Amino acid sequence: MANNISPLAHVDPAAKIGDGVTIHPFAYIDADVEIGDGCEIMSYTSIIRGTRMGRNNRVYQGSIIGADPQDFRWKGQPTHSVYLQAVIRSCCSACSISSLAWGWTIINFLSSFMLLKMGCATKK
């Protein structure tokens, strides 16, 4: 299945994009990001380095995914966020987890205007 990536989106050449992915205008995809097959990234969304998305995630407008941890112990170490068939509604901010804690943030659903930070794991 072909990808549908808007020419108005920024997708770093080092990002790995799966098959059948839709990326809407004004989305930002950083380097060291993996987006799995069938994902949809809507406008004004930022997907930050270290984020790993499995298949069939939907990220709605204005969300920031994989931002730096809100952990005073974090000093720039690698971070990771994993999304598995997640629905991330509009204007959510999901911060990565520092490797000082668990090392991974795993998300399945976030409602609009939520902030998810270090050490959280959610599932359906």
Side-chain angles (χ1 to χ4, degrees):
M1 183 184 300
N3 290 332
N4 181 13
I5 300 174
S6 170
L8 298 175
H10 170 81
V11 179
D12 190 282
K16 296 178 184 173
I17 308 297
D19 293 327
V21 172
T22 299
I23 301 176
H24 292 265
F26 310 113
Y28 174 83
I29 311 298
D30 206 353
D32 190 30
V33 166
E34 294 178 13
I35 298 178
D37 298 343
C39 290
E40 183 173 11
I41 310 301
M42 297 188 194
S43 297
Y44 304 105
T45 292
S46 296
I47 312 283
I48 309 300
R49 62 176 163 66
T51 300
R52 305 290 181 258
M53 294 188 140
R55 298 172 163 259
N56 303 318
N57 293 282
R58 294 192 75 193
V59 184
Y60 284 80
Q61 295 85 348
S63 293
I64 301 168
I65 308 301
D68 288 344
Q70 295 183 10
D71 179 349
F72 291 120
R73 299 172 298 165
W74 183 74
K75 304 293 184 218
Q77 304 90 327
T79 61
H80 305 282
S81 296
V82 177
Y83 300 84
L84 307 169
Q85 295 184 356
V87 175
I88 300 169
R89 299 301 298 190
S90 300
C91 301
C92 288
S93 180
C95 299
S96 296
I97 183 77
S98 77
S99 57
L100 297 169
W102 297 342
W104 298 92
T105 302
I106 301 174
I107 310 298
N108 286 105
F109 180 82
L110 290 177
S111 186
S112 295
F113 298 100
M114 287 186 70
L115 168 64
L116 180 74
K117 49 189 179 173
M118 44 177 275
C120 297
T122 64
K123 65 179 188 173
K124 291 182 182 178

